[in-house]
Amino acid sequence: MTLNIALINMPFGFHIYPSIQLGTLSTLLKSHDWPVKSHYLNLHFAHQLGMPIYNQLCEKRFLVGEWLFSHLLFGENPKNLDYINHFDAHIDDVCQSIDRPRKFLIEVKTKMVPEFLQWALDAGDWGQYDVIGFSSTFNQNLASLTLAKLIKDKYPSVKIMFGGANFESEMGLEYFRAFPWIDFVVPGEAEGVLVPLMKSLERNEPIPNGVAHRSKAGIVFAENHELHEDFSNNAPPDYDDFFEQLKQIDPDSPLLENPVILYETARGCWWGEKHHCTFCGLNANTMKFRSKPMEQVHADISYLSQRYNSFRFRLVDNILEMKYIEGVFGEMASNNFDLQFFLEVKSNLTKKQIKLLAHGGANVIQPGIESFSVNQLMEMDKGVRPLQNILCMKWAMYYGVEVNWNILIGFPGETNEDYRQQIELIKLLSHMPPPECVGDLWLERFSPYYTRPEEYGVTITGPGEAYSYVYDSEDIDVMKIAYDFEFTTKNKIDLALKEELSKTVQEWKGRHQSDDIPYLFFTKSMNFVTVYDDRSIGNPVKNSFEGPPAWIIVFCNESPKTIDQIKKHIEEFGVAETEAEKEILQLEKMGILYGEKGKYLTLALPHNANL
């Protein structure tokens, strides 16, 4: 018997690009000659709801997307009914962002969603499949669970399989226990267990390790401790069904014009292997860093670009493999390719590395800046300092690379002074790209704050508040399914400082969205340097410098320099080193130079376009 397999992507999975989970599994299964069909049901719901509204709901927190799909399973239960009132401020924010009243959300939940699920059940001809797999990440869990139940009720012989980030570790096992219509759960990486599972079903053999299943004795699960390490046999992901279905729904969809292609070059985190960032819940039990050979990356990107007629890529890696900077992006730069990439990087990049990334096509980076506070960055165990974050932002801006970042607050050990220092520093950086927001730390499962809370002065008080309102059932242990948790610390931060930080960032963002975009740059002549400064509203300043200050501005432009390096540098011009400290102090006072732990960096960007 050859298995016929379906893979399903449900709302609120992102609709603007195909699922790399489905694409990867489709390729894997097809390589073993199993017929596979990927069903992007999220595309149908996105078009039904309206693309802008759907896109906003994908991004919202407090499980609002889950709540909208919770009606058939939990909608009559008291806390589920009270969700919209309990999270009053959040619902107001959601309604404002989608420009719809509250009754619209209620109508979506009670009418539109049930109708969509019934359509999905009737339209899919699910009885033709032997196995139906759901990949569940973020707010697509209850949509997937509910459709799975409807399919199982109608076609009892079909095997229902779940995996994805929502089913990692303990979470997957609890969902499996609580929802008996699930036949199999893969609570980890699928490559090593999926093919053996399919073969065992074909041959009626014992289920392999790494798959939760049921027997007469109850739930059976034995861990598979082997990580997927050999990427050489991994062909590029298969996105054919996504584009075929998108064309059927909307032949003129703008998503078909130069679409965003998701691609994975590596798994795990090479920094996290040594220093797990204290707040990071990514990677679960798969922290070990594994990357593809560079020649395979080149070949895969070439294939995907041609097959889907696109030059836009989004790398899903948690962190960039450093050797790719030269080996992949340097190679693309030397060939003058016009590919574009979004990628996540560590912020301790040099000017040369950022230049290579930019010229190789990295047009958007997410460097995990998170803060400009020395103490907060140390508490995060990020392995970077504010100086490195500033350097990254400076040269990314210079080379035209967009930087996505946020400021996080609420870390254990924070002090009022941390806030004051950060507020004063970011006022000097108003010429650089502002953060998207100032946000409170979320305590995530798998993070050190979760696994060793007492070590950091953290007290976990319960699951994320929304879980008990959405998954309103006594049959579910919400502590076991939650990905984020409520917690307390011993922090006593002045609320006025939090408000001032948020206000400062809002003003920063406001100026960059206005016609009065701040600037700070310098021009270099033979005998002097001129700094143009418009960081203060309505007060542009032009200062010219000769001699030591001019030399220091240029010398500290490319990378931070120690005071000894600066002294030695100006000595070469025949100037006493005692001049250095006086000039450094003055340039710091003017906000042209930033100093940290005896190192100094010029904050002004060079006007010269050829560096």
Side-chain angles (χ1 to χ4, degrees):
M1 177 186 79
T2 299
L3 297 177
N4 193 18
I5 303 168
L7 302 174
I8 299 180
N9 197 44
M10 289 293 282
F12 279 90
F14 289 106
H15 67 292
I16 54 177
Y17 37 67
S19 163
I20 192 165
Q21 292 90 344
L22 265 61
T24 299
L25 297 182
S26 177
T27 294
L28 175 66
L29 292 167
K30 285 181 179 179
S31 70
H32 288 79
D33 298 323
W34 285 302
V36 180
K37 178 74 172 179
S38 295
H39 296 264
Y40 284 89
L41 302 183
N42 61 320
L43 287 176
H44 294 271
F45 192 69
H47 282 81
Q48 181 183 352
L49 193 60
M51 306 288 264
I53 293 176
Y54 183 88
N55 194 54
Q56 282 288 330
L57 292 173
C58 284
E59 299 281 0
K60 294 301 180 181
R61 306 203 72 159
F62 292 100
L63 303 181
V64 67
E66 295 289 79
W67 176 72
L68 290 171
F69 270 89
S70 66
H71 198 68
L72 294 184
L73 292 181
F74 310 116
E76 300 304 319
N77 297 347
K79 292 189 74 173
N80 191 283
L81 288 169
D82 191 42
Y83 174 95
I84 201 165
N85 297 314
H86 184 82
F87 294 99
D88 186 68
H90 179 62
I91 293 298
D92 282 345
D93 172 69
V94 171
C95 291
Q96 183 178 359
S97 67
I98 64 175
D99 193 24
R100 294 292 188 277
R102 288 184 174 217
K103 65 180 181 181
F104 173 78
L105 292 178
I106 295 172
E107 184 176 328
V108 170
K109 181 177 189 283
T110 60
K111 187 174 186 296
M112 189 180 295
V113 162
E115 288 176 355
F116 165 75
L117 288 168
Q118 186 62 48
W119 167 85
L121 176 65
D122 296 337
D125 190 18
W126 305 113
Q128 67 178 301
Y129 297 106
D130 301 293
V131 178
I132 297 178
F134 290 84
S135 179
S136 177
T137 303
F138 299 127
N139 286 331
Q140 59 181 162
N141 204 44
L142 278 176
S144 301
L145 287 167
T146 307
L147 181 59
K149 183 180 188 304
L150 295 174
I151 292 173
K152 192 70 172 179
D153 288 345
K154 188 172 182 178
Y155 305 104
S157 64
V158 173
K159 300 299 183 185
I160 301 293
M161 176 175 63
F162 268 80
N166 286 329
F167 280 74
E168 287 272 3
S169 191
E170 177 184 53
M171 297 183 293
L173 297 178
E174 177 60 13
Y175 285 128
F176 185 60
R177 184 199 64 77
F179 301 110
W181 55 88
I182 305 175
D183 294 291
F184 305 107
V185 161
V186 180
E189 292 184 339
E191 284 92 343
V193 299
L194 192 57
V195 170
L197 173 60
M198 296 301 107
K199 289 180 177 178
S200 72
L201 294 178
E202 281 188 336
R203 302 166 184 172
N204 197 26
E205 294 177 349
I207 303 300
N209 289 351
V211 181
H213 58 285
R214 306 179 196 276
S215 71
K216 293 179 181 179
I219 293 174
V220 179
F221 177 69
E223 287 193 43
N224 173 36
H225 295 285
E226 295 183 14
L227 293 179
H228 181 63
E229 297 200 42
D230 184 10
F231 287 101
S232 60
N233 293 323
N234 285 36
D238 168 22
Y239 297 135
D240 290 1
D241 289 332
F242 174 85
F243 291 107
E244 179 185 325
Q245 290 162 40
L246 182 56
K247 288 175 186 174
Q248 291 172 354
I249 296 170
D250 182 4
D252 300 318
S253 172
L255 298 178
L256 293 169
E257 182 65 30
N258 198 25
V260 176
I261 306 299
L262 271 59
Y263 180 63
E264 178 186 52
T265 71
R267 286 191 194 166
C269 179
W270 51 260
W271 174 254
E273 280 188 278
K274 301 174 182 177
H275 296 271
H276 190 170
C277 296
T278 53
F279 66 97
C280 179
L282 298 177
N283 296 300
N285 300 316
T286 57
M287 185 67 77
K288 183 180 178 182
F289 188 70
R290 298 145 285 159
S291 60
K292 295 179 179 178
M294 279 186 284
E295 57 272 16
Q296 183 178 2
V297 173
H298 282 287
D300 288 352
I301 290 174
S302 174
Y303 167 83
L304 290 167
S305 180
Q306 184 170 17
R307 184 167 187 83
Y308 301 115
N309 192 21
S310 179
F311 58 75
R312 295 201 296 166
F313 286 83
R314 184 182 181 96
L315 301 190
V316 300
D317 316 338
N318 297 148
I319 193 169
L320 181 67
E321 165 67 89
M322 294 300 284
K323 66 183 181 184
Y324 291 163
I325 295 176
E326 180 76 40
V328 173
F329 290 93
E331 180 72 16
M332 290 185 181
S334 67
N335 284 286
N336 295 313
F337 292 142
D338 291 319
L339 301 179
Q340 295 179 355
F341 293 88
F342 168 96
L343 55 147
E344 296 190 33
V345 298
K346 191 167 165 59
S347 65
N348 61 340
L349 297 172
T350 65
K351 170 183 171 288
K352 179 182 177 182
Q353 289 172 327
I354 294 172
K355 181 179 181 179
L356 274 176
L357 289 173
H359 290 178
N363 65 323
V364 185
I365 61 172
Q366 186 170 302
I369 287 174
E370 266 92 52
S371 179
F372 285 104
S373 162
V374 173
N375 288 342
Q376 285 170 322
L377 288 169
M378 289 180 64
E379 172 62 35
M380 297 178 201
D381 205 2
K382 293 284 290 184
V384 295
R385 304 185 66 83
L387 196 60
Q388 292 165 301
N389 285 343
I390 295 170
L391 182 76
C392 178
M393 288 182 64
K394 173 180 175 176
W395 290 112
M397 184 178 180
Y398 176 84
Y399 287 113
V401 180
E402 181 183 338
V403 179
N404 286 358
W405 69 288
N406 296 302
I407 290 177
L408 292 181
I409 59 174
F411 289 86
E414 282 181 345
T415 66
N416 287 335
E417 187 59 27
D418 293 335
Y419 280 76
R420 293 189 187 98
Q421 289 176 354
Q422 179 154 218
I423 290 166
E424 292 308 308
L425 175 53
I426 64 176
K427 288 177 182 178
L428 301 178
L429 306 178
S430 62
H431 60 298
M432 295 187 184
E436 294 182 24
C437 68
V438 176
D440 287 316
L441 164 74
W442 284 62
L443 196 153
E444 298 178 343
R445 183 182 289 274
F446 307 120
S447 69
Y449 285 156
Y450 173 80
T451 57
R452 307 192 304 276
E454 65 287 340
E455 188 176 316
Y456 298 97
V458 170
T459 301
I460 298 174
T461 57
E465 189 177 7
Y467 280 94
S468 62
Y469 284 84
V470 174
Y471 292 86
D472 185 10
S473 169
E474 294 181 355
D475 296 330
I476 302 171
D477 186 340
V478 289
M479 278 295 287
K480 291 182 177 179
I481 64 167
Y483 182 72
D484 62 86
F485 297 83
E486 302 299 318
F487 69 102
T488 61
T489 67
K490 297 178 181 179
N491 294 356
K492 301 292 182 183
I493 302 299
D494 186 348
L495 289 179
L497 285 170
K498 288 186 177 183
E499 292 172 2
E500 185 179 354
L501 176 61
S502 294
K503 181 183 177 183
T504 303
V505 167
Q506 285 304 316
E507 291 172 351
W508 186 359
K509 291 178 66 177
R511 283 200 70 187
H512 278 261
Q513 294 165 357
S514 72
D515 295 330
D516 183 27
I517 298 176
Y519 56 77
L520 178 66
F521 66 91
F522 71 90
T523 58
K524 176 186 175 185
S525 187
M526 281 73 81
N527 301 313
F528 66 96
V529 166
T530 303
V531 177
Y532 301 81
D533 186 353
D534 189 30
R535 289 172 294 180
S536 297
I537 299 175
N539 186 33
V541 178
K542 174 182 175 182
N543 288 298
S544 293
F545 301 90
E546 298 179 14
W551 305 330
I552 291 170
I553 289 170
V554 174
F555 185 59
C556 296
N557 172 49
E558 185 164 320
S559 61
K561 300 296 192 298
T562 66
I563 192 165
D564 288 339
Q565 288 173 319
I566 296 171
K567 288 177 179 178
K568 185 176 180 180
H569 178 67
I570 68 169
E571 276 185 332
E572 294 174 2
F573 293 90
V575 178
E577 65 174 34
T578 52
E579 283 287 302
E581 293 186 19
K582 182 181 73 172
E583 300 298 349
I584 287 171
L585 189 62
Q586 181 61 25
L587 290 172
E588 266 196 293
K589 188 176 180 181
M590 297 174 72
I592 296 170
L593 207 65
Y594 169 68
E596 179 183 294
K597 295 287 185 180
K599 289 188 175 182
Y600 298 88
L601 176 70
T602 300
L603 295 180
L605 275 73
H607 184 264
N608 191 310
N610 301 308
L611 298 182

